[in-house]
Amino acid sequence: MGRFIVVGSCGILVCVLASLYTIGNLLNEIEELQVEFQDGMIEFRAITQDTWARMVSKHINPTGKTDAPPTFQTLFGTHAAPGPDAGYCPCPSRAAAYKA
């Protein structure tokens, strides 16, 4: 009976050690994944900031050359709907709706 307890205890010890080793490897993998994700996000943020700066500069002035600071109106301004002289519109149903 004593030998059975020793063998069982050794088996459990091996299982616990294997579990601890597996947990360590999993934590290492998760850390590597987190670092890779953070690096990707840093690169993504740089790309989006560059893209946003280009969009703003082109939206303010199509040539991209202006010293005027962007305002809310220049960035997000809306264009008025066609007025009563919208007869030039090539879409007949829409143009008919705007004719006086």
Side-chain angles (χ1 to χ4, degrees), residues 51-72:
T51 303
W52 178 252
R54 289 181 186 191
M55 287 175 20
V56 168
S57 70
K58 294 296 181 187
H59 191 71
I60 292 172
N61 188 347
T63 62
K65 298 176 182 174
T66 182
D67 292 332
T71 64
F72 184 82

Side-chain angles (χ1 to χ4, degrees), residues 4-76:
F4 181 71
I5 293 174
V6 171
V7 170
S9 296
C10 288
I12 291 174
L13 179 64
V14 168
C15 289
V16 168
L17 292 176
S19 296
L20 289 175
Y21 178 76
T22 303
I23 289 172
N25 282 339
L26 286 174
L27 289 175
N28 189 26
E29 291 277 335
I30 290 171
E31 182 182 0
E32 288 175 3
L33 182 64
Q34 183 181 11
V35 168
E36 183 179 333
F37 180 77
Q38 286 176 346
D39 290 344
M41 288 304 295
I42 290 170
E43 181 180 347
F44 176 76
R45 184 172 180 170
I47 291 170
T48 57
Q49 286 177 344
D50 182 51
T51 303
W52 178 252
R54 289 181 186 191
M55 287 175 20
V56 168
S57 70
K58 294 296 181 187
H59 191 71
I60 292 172
N61 188 347
T63 62
K65 298 176 182 174
T66 182
D67 292 332
T71 64
F72 184 82
Q73 184 64 29
T74 60
L75 293 176
F76 302 107

